[in-house]
Amino acid sequence: MKFLRSIPDLPVNARLRLEKKGLTTPAKLMATTDEELLKIKGLGPMKIRIIRRICEASEQRPPVIE
């Protein structure tokens, strides 16, 4: 869930809907189609592109141990 909070300008309602659907990690978001993401209120094509870029970048970094 920390990952979703790191996405700039992600509306709270969209974040909550993503959390409810279990889409809280880059891998899960990347495995979800654009069509499925567009059904989530608060997400549009531009925000989905941003989310995809952030997911790709996070997969390039080594994991953070909490």
Side-chain angles (χ1 to χ4, degrees), residues 17 21 34-43 48:
R17 287 181 176 94
K21 292 182 176 288
D34 287 356
E35 291 78 22
E36 291 174 291
L37 291 174
L38 284 170
K39 292 178 184 176
I40 298 173
K41 188 174 181 176
L43 294 183
I48 290 172

Side-chain angles (χ1 to χ4, degrees), residues 43-59:
L43 294 183
M46 179 67 84
K47 186 54 68 180
I48 290 172
R49 282 194 294 274
I50 291 168
I51 289 171
R52 297 253 187 247
R53 278 191 230 127
I54 292 170
C55 287
E56 289 170 359
S58 71
E59 290 175 351

